[in-house]
Amino acid sequence: MKEYATEQIRNVVLLGHGGTGKTSLAEAALFSSGAISRLGKVDDGTTASDFEPDEIKRKMSINLALVPVEWAGHKINFIDTPGHADFAGEVRSGIRAADFGIVVVDAVSGLQVGTEAAWQNADRDKLPRIFFVNRMDRENANYDQTLAQLQARWGKKVAPLALPIGAQDAFTGVVNLIEQKVYVGEKGTPADIPGDMAGAVATAREQLIEAICEADDDLMNKYLEGEAISEDELTAALRKGIAAGLVCPVLAGSSTKDIGVTKLLDALVADCPSPADVAPR
């Protein structure tokens, strides 16, 4: 693995309730990047990060594990942590080593006790974070309901950065709200926004822009005066807002089908802070 400059590094801790797919997400990131040629499964004991005999036997993470992923000229160090409360010490250690976190939420179960605990632990260490609504391909998956729960709990700084296209068996891709582009399938192939999603995309993008502008006075003035805000301006302000803990964007996907994972990796590179962007804690 080659050497990387500080601005090309992302140290990311995976947080959340047990069983939301954190380990599977790290595995999918490895697979998407080409580091592995076969997508391992927790139930089969074949994932890269759950390698201890007890983890394979119990089909759950017990220790934290480092999963390095190379993507788009950057190195993303995923720190996979256990979700069970008995292993909270591993979670605290992972948070201390990270520059920001991904709180993984199950699209079926929504807001859970472990989601609250992950947020509180991140708050305690002033860790910037984003949400990833996982398992959009599962039966009864509901992104809108999960997003509403997160916003009701933590306010309008929680804003969608991506919308899923379909759900359950019909889940096929995601819409990037800053770019206003669709990416479908496991490889994230570009496509047109479905006509029946135009209204939902416009509404969600407005929520995102409002959240970003709340964190940037100059953009807020432009927004209030009705001036156009460029994609580059939104991306730069989003990155600053995440680093300051003023914006918490929400992405969506499925770690088991690898849909949405490539766009998460893109977001980690383009929208999320490097170690140099984050204030010392």
Side-chain angles (χ1 to χ4, degrees):
M1 189 173 287
K2 68 178 184 181
E3 293 185 3
Y4 291 88
T6 301
E7 61 271 14
Q8 296 172 311
I9 295 173
R10 303 290 184 271
N11 298 312
V12 188
V13 62
L14 299 174
L15 305 167
H17 194 85
T20 53
K22 299 181 293 297
T23 297
S24 296
L25 182 57
E27 187 78 5
L30 283 171
F31 181 74
S32 294
S33 70
I36 56 177
S37 58
R38 178 177 176 273
L39 192 62
K41 296 181 179 180
V42 172
D43 287 344
D44 295 341
T46 55
T47 63
S49 57
D50 281 356
F51 53 84
E52 294 286 349
D54 276 350
E55 293 177 316
I56 294 172
K57 178 182 178 181
R58 296 171 184 269
K59 300 179 181 180
M60 61 182 287
S61 298
I62 295 175
N63 306 299
L64 63 78
L66 179 63
V67 180
V69 173
E70 294 179 302
W71 186 260
H74 290 68
K75 184 185 179 189
I76 304 171
N77 295 313
F78 285 103
I79 304 170
D80 182 24
T81 66
H84 199 284
D86 287 349
F87 311 115
E90 296 291 300
V91 177
R92 298 283 297 134
S93 297
I95 287 174
R96 290 303 301 165
D99 300 304
F100 68 95
I102 300 176
V103 181
V104 183
V105 185
D106 190 294
V108 179
S109 303
L111 180 62
Q112 296 175 280
V113 173
T115 316
E116 295 258 11
W119 184 278
Q120 291 168 4
N121 282 325
D123 256 359
R124 188 179 296 115
D125 274 69
K126 298 181 180 179
L127 182 76
R129 73 218 68 155
I130 66 177
F131 283 109
F132 184 77
V133 178
N134 195 19
R135 296 178 171 168
M136 281 301 307
D137 57 323
R138 293 290 182 90
E139 185 177 355
N140 298 320
N142 192 322
Y143 176 84
D144 291 338
Q145 179 177 291
T146 301
L147 176 62
Q149 291 173 348
L150 298 176
Q151 290 177 326
R153 179 64 183 85
W154 290 295
K156 61 183 180 181
K157 73 176 182 179
V158 177
L161 178 57
L163 286 185
I165 301 172
Q168 304 175 50
D169 290 341
F171 175 57
T172 57
V174 295
V175 182
N176 182 299
L177 294 175
I178 288 185
E179 299 175 347
Q180 298 185 82
K181 293 181 180 179
V182 167
Y183 298 92
V184 298
E186 296 183 2
K187 294 184 178 180
T189 304
D192 296 328
I193 296 176
D196 60 354
M197 286 191 67
V201 169
T203 299
R205 191 170 193 270
E206 192 70 14
Q207 288 183 32
L208 176 63
I209 292 175
E210 288 182 5
I212 294 173
C213 289
E214 286 284 348
D216 189 292
D217 291 339
D218 291 336
L219 281 193
M220 177 58 75
N221 290 332
K222 292 186 70 172
Y223 177 74
L224 293 176
E225 292 173 5
E227 296 182 30
I229 301 175
S230 71
E231 182 181 317
D232 288 344
E233 287 177 311
L234 286 173
T235 298
L238 175 60
R239 187 166 178 169
K240 291 179 181 178
I242 294 173
L246 300 174
V247 184
C248 186
V250 183
L251 294 97
S254 169
S255 56
T256 53
K257 282 193 174 181
D258 202 28
I259 298 176
V261 175
T262 57
K263 302 322 295 177
L264 170 64
L265 294 173
D266 285 343
L268 294 179
V269 168
D271 304 320
C272 294
S274 71
D277 299 320
V278 180
R281 308 196 312 274

